[in-house]
Amino acid sequence: MAWHDLVSKVVSVNLSEQNDVFRWRANRNGIFTVNSMYNALMYCDVVPRRTFIWNLSIPLKIKIFMWYLWRGITLTKDNLAKRKWKGSIKYCFCNSNETIQHLFFYCHLVRSVWNTVFITFGIRPPTSVANMFGSWLNGVQSRLKYQIFVGITALCWAVWLNRNDVVFNGSKTNSFLQVIFKGTYWAQQWSLLLKEEDGHKLNEYCKMLEARVMELYAKYG
């Protein structure tokens, strides 16, 4: 659902001879608030519920980031070019074009991240956005699937932050270690929002991943 479709569901439009005014239908007084938007997103079915990201206990901006990722509208350079942006569409870590698929699944850096997850937990990497939000975790018990997806969301967010740090701040880093440790940092922060048992397990998984990546780095450099 496009943003204008979402707005049309919560903004009343009535034609009359009077001057035009905006009225926010998601709030009784007609005034926009972040809380009313949050409630509209969470409880009023104004966005698709084909993914369970809206039920994850993570910050709302991260849910929106993952929704954008699922929709294929994250502002990677190829998407910016579609909006008449004139810059280079080459990815900052290699000579390939920057696309969602390349950034989150194909680049050598992110493949190292996914391979480390596979070596640590035996979870095969998703092959695409559609796979990650679709059949990727089929057969996994629902509670474990929930924990895994919070952790994977943290890694995707870390990949995005790492990319932005290079593009906008001129960082020279290209280490998958930083992506993993950023990811475990965010996962541990979000674990405080989860039920106690889920948060405890997520912290355990983070420590396992950190230990394994340091073991691999010491062994192979």
Short mmCIF file of all heavy atoms in Angstrom, two decimals, residues 166-201:
data_model
loop_
_atom_site.label_atom_id
_atom_site.label_comp_id
_atom_site.label_asym_id
_atom_site.label_seq_id
_atom_site.Cartn_x
_atom_site.Cartn_y
_atom_site.Cartn_z
N VAL A 166 28.97 4.78 5.70
CA VAL A 166 29.95 4.93 4.61
C VAL A 166 29.51 6.02 3.64
O VAL A 166 30.30 6.89 3.26
CB VAL A 166 30.14 3.59 3.87
CG1 VAL A 166 31.02 3.77 2.64
CG2 VAL A 166 30.75 2.54 4.79
N VAL A 167 28.24 5.99 3.25
CA VAL A 167 27.74 6.92 2.23
C VAL A 167 27.70 8.35 2.73
O VAL A 167 28.12 9.29 2.04
CB VAL A 167 26.34 6.47 1.75
CG1 VAL A 167 25.71 7.53 0.85
CG2 VAL A 167 26.43 5.14 1.01
N PHE A 168 27.21 8.55 3.95
CA PHE A 168 26.96 9.91 4.43
C PHE A 168 28.05 10.46 5.35
O PHE A 168 28.21 11.67 5.45
CB PHE A 168 25.61 9.97 5.16
CG PHE A 168 24.44 9.63 4.28
CD1 PHE A 168 23.71 8.48 4.48
CD2 PHE A 168 24.08 10.46 3.23
CE1 PHE A 168 22.63 8.15 3.67
CE2 PHE A 168 23.01 10.16 2.41
CZ PHE A 168 22.28 9.00 2.62
N ASN A 169 28.78 9.57 6.02
CA ASN A 169 29.80 10.03 6.97
C ASN A 169 31.22 9.76 6.50
O ASN A 169 32.17 10.06 7.21
CB ASN A 169 29.58 9.38 8.34
CG ASN A 169 28.22 9.72 8.93
OD1 ASN A 169 27.71 10.82 8.74
ND2 ASN A 169 27.61 8.77 9.63
N GLY A 170 31.35 9.13 5.34
CA GLY A 170 32.68 8.88 4.80
C GLY A 170 33.47 7.83 5.55
O GLY A 170 34.69 7.77 5.45
N SER A 171 32.77 6.96 6.30
CA SER A 171 33.46 5.90 7.01
C SER A 171 34.16 4.98 6.03
O SER A 171 33.66 4.70 4.94
CB SER A 171 32.47 5.10 7.86
OG SER A 171 33.07 3.96 8.42
N LYS A 172 35.31 4.47 6.41
CA LYS A 172 36.08 3.58 5.54
C LYS A 172 35.88 2.11 5.88
O LYS A 172 36.47 1.24 5.25
CB LYS A 172 37.58 3.92 5.64
CG LYS A 172 37.92 5.36 5.28
CD LYS A 172 37.51 5.70 3.85
CE LYS A 172 37.90 7.12 3.50
NZ LYS A 172 37.46 7.48 2.12
N THR A 173 35.05 1.83 6.85
CA THR A 173 34.88 0.45 7.28
C THR A 173 34.21 -0.40 6.22
O THR A 173 33.33 0.06 5.50
CB THR A 173 34.05 0.37 8.57
OG1 THR A 173 33.89 -1.00 8.93
CG2 THR A 173 32.67 0.97 8.38
N ASN A 174 34.64 -1.63 6.11
CA ASN A 174 33.95 -2.59 5.25
C ASN A 174 33.98 -3.97 5.89
O ASN A 174 34.01 -4.98 5.21
CB ASN A 174 34.58 -2.63 3.85
CG ASN A 174 36.04 -3.07 3.90
OD1 ASN A 174 36.61 -3.25 4.97
ND2 ASN A 174 36.64 -3.24 2.74
N SER A 175 33.98 -3.98 7.22
CA SER A 175 34.12 -5.23 7.96
C SER A 175 32.76 -5.79 8.35
O SER A 175 31.92 -5.09 8.93
CB SER A 175 34.96 -5.01 9.22
OG SER A 175 34.93 -6.15 10.05
N PHE A 176 32.53 -7.06 8.04
CA PHE A 176 31.28 -7.70 8.44
C PHE A 176 31.23 -7.87 9.96
O PHE A 176 30.15 -8.02 10.54
CB PHE A 176 31.11 -9.04 7.74
CG PHE A 176 31.93 -10.17 8.32
CD1 PHE A 176 31.36 -11.07 9.19
CD2 PHE A 176 33.27 -10.31 7.99
CE1 PHE A 176 32.10 -12.12 9.72
CE2 PHE A 176 34.02 -11.36 8.50
CZ PHE A 176 33.44 -12.26 9.38
N LEU A 177 32.39 -7.80 10.63
CA LEU A 177 32.41 -7.87 12.09
C LEU A 177 31.61 -6.73 12.70
O LEU A 177 30.87 -6.91 13.66
CB LEU A 177 33.85 -7.83 12.62
CG LEU A 177 34.74 -9.04 12.37
CD1 LEU A 177 36.16 -8.75 12.84
CD2 LEU A 177 34.19 -10.26 13.08
N GLN A 178 31.79 -5.54 12.13
CA GLN A 178 31.07 -4.38 12.66
C GLN A 178 29.57 -4.53 12.46
O GLN A 178 28.79 -4.12 13.31
CB GLN A 178 31.59 -3.10 12.01
CG GLN A 178 33.01 -2.73 12.44
CD GLN A 178 33.33 -1.28 12.16
OE1 GLN A 178 32.81 -0.71 11.21
NE2 GLN A 178 34.19 -0.70 12.97
N VAL A 179 29.18 -5.09 11.33
CA VAL A 179 27.76 -5.32 11.09
C VAL A 179 27.20 -6.26 12.14
O VAL A 179 26.14 -6.01 12.73
CB VAL A 179 27.53 -5.88 9.67
CG1 VAL A 179 26.06 -6.28 9.49
CG2 VAL A 179 27.93 -4.86 8.62
N ILE A 180 27.89 -7.35 12.40
CA ILE A 180 27.39 -8.33 13.36
C ILE A 180 27.32 -7.74 14.76
O ILE A 180 26.32 -7.92 15.48
CB ILE A 180 28.26 -9.60 13.34
CG1 ILE A 180 28.00 -10.39 12.04
CG2 ILE A 180 28.00 -10.48 14.57
CD1 ILE A 180 28.82 -11.64 11.88
N PHE A 181 28.36 -7.02 15.17
CA PHE A 181 28.35 -6.46 16.53
C PHE A 181 27.34 -5.32 16.67
O PHE A 181 26.75 -5.14 17.74
CB PHE A 181 29.75 -6.02 16.94
CG PHE A 181 30.59 -7.16 17.45
CD1 PHE A 181 31.47 -7.82 16.62
CD2 PHE A 181 30.48 -7.60 18.76
CE1 PHE A 181 32.24 -8.88 17.08
CE2 PHE A 181 31.24 -8.66 19.24
CZ PHE A 181 32.13 -9.31 18.39
N LYS A 182 27.12 -4.57 15.59
CA LYS A 182 26.03 -3.59 15.63
C LYS A 182 24.69 -4.29 15.74
O LYS A 182 23.80 -3.86 16.48
CB LYS A 182 26.05 -2.72 14.36
CG LYS A 182 27.09 -1.61 14.35
CD LYS A 182 26.98 -0.79 13.07
CE LYS A 182 28.04 0.30 13.03
NZ LYS A 182 27.96 1.10 11.77
N GLY A 183 24.56 -5.39 14.99
CA GLY A 183 23.31 -6.13 15.04
C GLY A 183 23.02 -6.71 16.41
O GLY A 183 21.89 -6.62 16.92
N THR A 184 24.03 -7.31 17.03
CA THR A 184 23.81 -7.88 18.36
C THR A 184 23.56 -6.78 19.40
O THR A 184 22.80 -6.98 20.35
CB THR A 184 25.01 -8.74 18.81
OG1 THR A 184 26.22 -7.97 18.74
CG2 THR A 184 25.15 -9.97 17.93
N TYR A 185 24.17 -5.62 19.19
CA TYR A 185 23.91 -4.49 20.10
C TYR A 185 22.43 -4.11 20.06
O TYR A 185 21.77 -4.00 21.10
CB TYR A 185 24.76 -3.29 19.72
CG TYR A 185 24.33 -2.01 20.42
CD1 TYR A 185 24.70 -1.75 21.73
CD2 TYR A 185 23.52 -1.08 19.76
CE1 TYR A 185 24.30 -0.59 22.38
CE2 TYR A 185 23.11 0.08 20.39
CZ TYR A 185 23.49 0.33 21.69
OH TYR A 185 23.07 1.46 22.33
N TRP A 186 21.90 -3.94 18.84
CA TRP A 186 20.50 -3.54 18.72
C TRP A 186 19.56 -4.65 19.20
O TRP A 186 18.56 -4.37 19.87
CB TRP A 186 20.17 -3.16 17.28
CG TRP A 186 20.77 -1.84 16.89
CD1 TRP A 186 21.77 -1.61 16.00
CD2 TRP A 186 20.42 -0.55 17.44
NE1 TRP A 186 22.07 -0.27 15.94
CE2 TRP A 186 21.26 0.40 16.82
CE3 TRP A 186 19.49 -0.13 18.37
CZ2 TRP A 186 21.19 1.76 17.10
CZ3 TRP A 186 19.42 1.23 18.67
CH2 TRP A 186 20.26 2.15 18.04
N ALA A 187 19.89 -5.89 18.90
CA ALA A 187 19.06 -7.00 19.36
C ALA A 187 19.00 -7.03 20.89
O ALA A 187 17.93 -7.27 21.48
CB ALA A 187 19.58 -8.32 18.82
N GLN A 188 20.12 -6.80 21.53
CA GLN A 188 20.15 -6.79 22.99
C GLN A 188 19.36 -5.62 23.56
O GLN A 188 18.73 -5.73 24.62
CB GLN A 188 21.59 -6.79 23.48
CG GLN A 188 22.29 -8.13 23.27
CD GLN A 188 23.78 -8.07 23.56
OE1 GLN A 188 24.46 -7.10 23.21
NE2 GLN A 188 24.29 -9.10 24.18
N GLN A 189 19.41 -4.47 22.88
CA GLN A 189 18.60 -3.34 23.31
C GLN A 189 17.11 -3.67 23.21
O GLN A 189 16.34 -3.39 24.11
CB GLN A 189 18.92 -2.11 22.46
CG GLN A 189 20.32 -1.55 22.65
CD GLN A 189 20.56 -1.03 24.05
OE1 GLN A 189 19.81 -0.20 24.56
NE2 GLN A 189 21.61 -1.53 24.69
N TRP A 190 16.72 -4.28 22.10
CA TRP A 190 15.31 -4.61 21.90
C TRP A 190 14.85 -5.76 22.77
O TRP A 190 13.65 -5.91 23.01
CB TRP A 190 15.06 -4.95 20.42
CG TRP A 190 15.44 -3.85 19.48
CD1 TRP A 190 15.61 -2.52 19.77
CD2 TRP A 190 15.73 -3.98 18.08
NE1 TRP A 190 15.98 -1.83 18.65
CE2 TRP A 190 16.05 -2.69 17.60
CE3 TRP A 190 15.72 -5.06 17.19
CZ2 TRP A 190 16.38 -2.46 16.26
CZ3 TRP A 190 16.04 -4.83 15.86
CH2 TRP A 190 16.36 -3.54 15.41
N SER A 191 15.78 -6.57 23.26
CA SER A 191 15.40 -7.69 24.11
C SER A 191 14.67 -7.21 25.37
O SER A 191 13.90 -7.94 25.98
CB SER A 191 16.63 -8.52 24.50
OG SER A 191 17.46 -7.81 25.42
N LEU A 192 14.93 -5.95 25.75
CA LEU A 192 14.27 -5.38 26.92
C LEU A 192 12.78 -5.17 26.68
O LEU A 192 12.01 -5.01 27.63
CB LEU A 192 14.93 -4.04 27.30
CG LEU A 192 16.42 -4.10 27.64
CD1 LEU A 192 16.98 -2.70 27.86
CD2 LEU A 192 16.66 -4.96 28.87
N LEU A 193 12.38 -5.12 25.40
CA LEU A 193 10.98 -4.91 25.05
C LEU A 193 10.21 -6.22 24.96
O LEU A 193 8.98 -6.22 24.90
CB LEU A 193 10.88 -4.18 23.71
CG LEU A 193 11.63 -2.84 23.59
CD1 LEU A 193 11.55 -2.34 22.15
CD2 LEU A 193 11.05 -1.83 24.56
N LEU A 194 10.93 -7.34 24.95
CA LEU A 194 10.31 -8.65 24.78
C LEU A 194 9.88 -9.22 26.13
O LEU A 194 10.26 -8.71 27.19
CB LEU A 194 11.29 -9.62 24.12
CG LEU A 194 11.37 -9.65 22.59
CD1 LEU A 194 11.73 -8.27 22.03
CD2 LEU A 194 12.37 -10.68 22.11
N LYS A 195 9.10 -10.27 26.06
CA LYS A 195 8.81 -11.02 27.28
C LYS A 195 10.11 -11.53 27.87
O LYS A 195 11.07 -11.76 27.13
CB LYS A 195 7.86 -12.18 26.99
CG LYS A 195 6.48 -11.75 26.53
CD LYS A 195 5.61 -12.96 26.23
CE LYS A 195 4.22 -12.54 25.77
NZ LYS A 195 3.37 -13.71 25.43
N GLU A 196 10.13 -11.70 29.18
CA GLU A 196 11.39 -12.00 29.87
C GLU A 196 12.10 -13.21 29.27
O GLU A 196 13.31 -13.17 29.00
CB GLU A 196 11.13 -12.23 31.35
CG GLU A 196 12.40 -12.45 32.16
CD GLU A 196 12.14 -12.57 33.65
OE1 GLU A 196 10.97 -12.39 34.06
OE2 GLU A 196 13.10 -12.83 34.40
N GLU A 197 11.37 -14.29 29.04
CA GLU A 197 12.00 -15.51 28.51
C GLU A 197 12.53 -15.28 27.10
O GLU A 197 13.65 -15.70 26.77
CB GLU A 197 11.01 -16.67 28.50
CG GLU A 197 11.62 -17.98 28.02
CD GLU A 197 10.65 -19.13 28.05
OE1 GLU A 197 9.56 -18.99 28.66
OE2 GLU A 197 10.96 -20.20 27.48
N ASP A 198 11.75 -14.60 26.25
CA ASP A 198 12.19 -14.32 24.89
C ASP A 198 13.42 -13.41 24.88
O ASP A 198 14.35 -13.62 24.11
CB ASP A 198 11.07 -13.68 24.08
CG ASP A 198 9.94 -14.65 23.79
OD1 ASP A 198 10.21 -15.86 23.73
OD2 ASP A 198 8.79 -14.20 23.62
N GLY A 199 13.40 -12.40 25.75
CA GLY A 199 14.54 -11.50 25.83
C GLY A 199 15.79 -12.21 26.30
O GLY A 199 16.89 -11.94 25.79
N HIS A 200 15.63 -13.11 27.26
CA HIS A 200 16.78 -13.87 27.77
C HIS A 200 17.37 -14.75 26.67
O HIS A 200 18.59 -14.81 26.49
CB HIS A 200 16.34 -14.72 28.96
CG HIS A 200 17.44 -15.56 29.54
ND1 HIS A 200 18.51 -15.03 30.22
CD2 HIS A 200 17.64 -16.92 29.51
CE1 HIS A 200 19.33 -16.01 30.60
NE2 HIS A 200 18.83 -17.15 30.18
N LYS A 201 16.51 -15.42 25.91
CA LYS A 201 16.99 -16.28 24.83
C LYS A 201 17.68 -15.46 23.74
O LYS A 201 18.71 -15.88 23.20
CB LYS A 201 15.83 -17.07 24.23
CG LYS A 201 15.23 -18.11 25.15
CD LYS A 201 16.24 -19.18 25.54
CE LYS A 201 16.66 -20.05 24.38
NZ LYS A 201 17.56 -21.16 24.79
#
